[in-house]
Amino acid sequence: MFAFILSRFVDCFAVDISGRVTDEKGLPAAGAKVLFVRGSERHEATCDNFGYYQIKNITSAETPGNATIALFCYPNPFNRQTVVSFYLDRQQRAEVAVFDASGRKVRIVANKVFPQGRNQIVWDGLSQGREPVAPGLYVCRLQTKSARESFKMLSAGGENIAVPVGAGEEQPVPKAYAANQSTYTAYVSGSDFETHRADGIEPADVIVKNFIVNKSTWAPFSTAGNYLAVYDGDKYKP
C-alpha cells in the first residue's frame, strides 16, 4: 500500500474572546465559570454580576484565511475505485477534483460543505462524462476557500469495489494534524444551572461568544437523604 499525505500547518496567533452568559429568560448568570479547553490548554474566566466574561490571549492554530488539511487515499495504487480521505480543522466548503497527468480536470468528485474532522469520498474511477478513465497516474486535489492540497494516485485499471474503511483499518490521523487542532471546547458551569458544553469553537472566527444555560428551578425546600432541607441563602441544610 502506498499513501501520499500532504499537510499544511501554520503558526499560532492570539486573540481575546468575550461574551455573556444568560439563562433562557435573558437573566445574567453572575459568577458563572467559563472554561475553554484544547488538549492540555485551559483558559478560564469568571462572569461579572451582569454575566459578562473575557478571556485574553487565547491561541489559534491557524491564521485568518488558512486551514489545516490532511489528504490521502486508500487503496493506492487501485484498480478502478479508491476512497479519498481528508481531515478539515473546521466545517467549510471544499472541492475534491481529479486531474490527469497533463493537468486536465477529469472529474469533480464533490463540491459541498463538509464537517470538521475526517471525511471520506469514493471516487469510482469515472470521468465527468461517466466514462472509465484509462490506467495511469492521476492527481487528486482538495480546494477550500483558503487552502489547496493535492497528492498522486495510480490507477491500474480493471474492476474493484472500494468502500469507506473503519478507524482501525485506515491510516491514522497524522500526528501533526492532531497536535494542531485549532478548535476549543467550552464549558460553562455554576451552582444553580446545568453545566453547558459547546464544541468546535475557533478563535479565528469567533471573538464574541455568548452562552445560554439552563437555570435550575429554585425552591425554598428540598430533600437531604431522609430529611427535609431548607435553603439558608447559600445551600440546603437538613
Side-chain angles (χ1 to χ4, degrees):
M1 180 195 74
F2 298 92
F4 300 86
I5 303 177
L6 186 57
S7 306
R8 170 178 297 173
F9 304 107
V10 294
D11 296 332
C12 296
F13 72 104
V15 298
D16 295 342
I17 293 183
S18 60
R20 193 176 187 223
V21 180
T22 60
D23 63 14
E24 306 96 319
K25 297 180 180 179
L27 298 176
K33 303 291 185 181
V34 180
L35 174 65
F36 281 72
V37 178
R38 182 182 69 182
S40 60
E41 289 184 52
R42 296 171 66 87
H43 305 269
E44 188 172 4
T46 301
C47 293
D48 63 18
N49 291 335
F50 301 99
Y52 290 99
Y53 75 93
Q54 183 179 48
I55 295 179
K56 290 183 173 294
N57 297 323
I58 190 169
T59 59
S60 173
E62 62 168 359
T63 56
N66 288 280
T68 300
I69 298 173
L71 181 66
F72 58 92
C73 76
Y74 180 86
N76 190 20
F78 59 94
N79 290 329
R80 176 171 168 178
Q81 296 186 358
T82 187
V83 179
V84 177
S85 296
F86 56 95
Y87 296 81
L88 298 177
D89 64 353
R90 57 178 172 172
Q91 176 178 297
Q92 57 191 297
R93 176 172 290 278
E95 179 188 88
V96 179
V98 176
F99 298 79
D100 62 20
S102 67
R104 181 179 63 90
K105 183 179 288 188
V106 174
R107 172 83 178 275
I108 297 176
V109 183
N111 189 337
K112 64 178 184 178
V113 175
F114 290 94
Q116 174 191 4
R118 183 179 75 168
N119 293 274
Q120 295 183 321
I121 298 177
V122 176
W123 178 42
D124 54 14
L126 300 181
S127 66
Q128 200 69 30
R130 313 302 295 177
E131 295 292 331
V133 301
L137 183 67
Y138 292 87
V139 174
C140 182
R141 188 188 74 187
L142 192 150
Q143 172 82 55
T144 69
K145 181 179 180 181
S146 56
R148 176 188 297 176
E149 302 295 353
S150 61
F151 69 94
K152 298 176 182 178
M153 52 188 183
L154 183 63
S155 172
E159 294 292 334
N160 76 311
I161 297 177
V163 296
V165 294
E169 304 170 67
E170 187 183 11
Q171 180 166 336
V173 180
K175 291 183 179 179
Y177 172 82
N180 283 274
Q181 291 264 14
S182 63
T183 60
Y184 288 81
T185 297
Y187 299 90
V188 184
S189 59
S191 60
D192 58 346
F193 59 87
E194 303 171 1
T195 297
H196 178 81
R197 172 174 174 167
D199 296 302
I201 299 175
E202 167 51 56
D205 298 330
V206 179
I207 58 174
V208 176
K209 182 64 178 177
N210 298 321
F211 300 97
I212 299 177
V213 297
N214 296 317
K215 274 291 191 83
S216 302
T217 302
W218 179 86
F221 297 98
S222 183
T223 57
N226 295 325
Y227 299 90
L228 290 177
V230 62
Y231 189 71
D232 66 358
D234 179 46
K235 60 184 178 180
Y236 287 98
K237 290 186 176 181

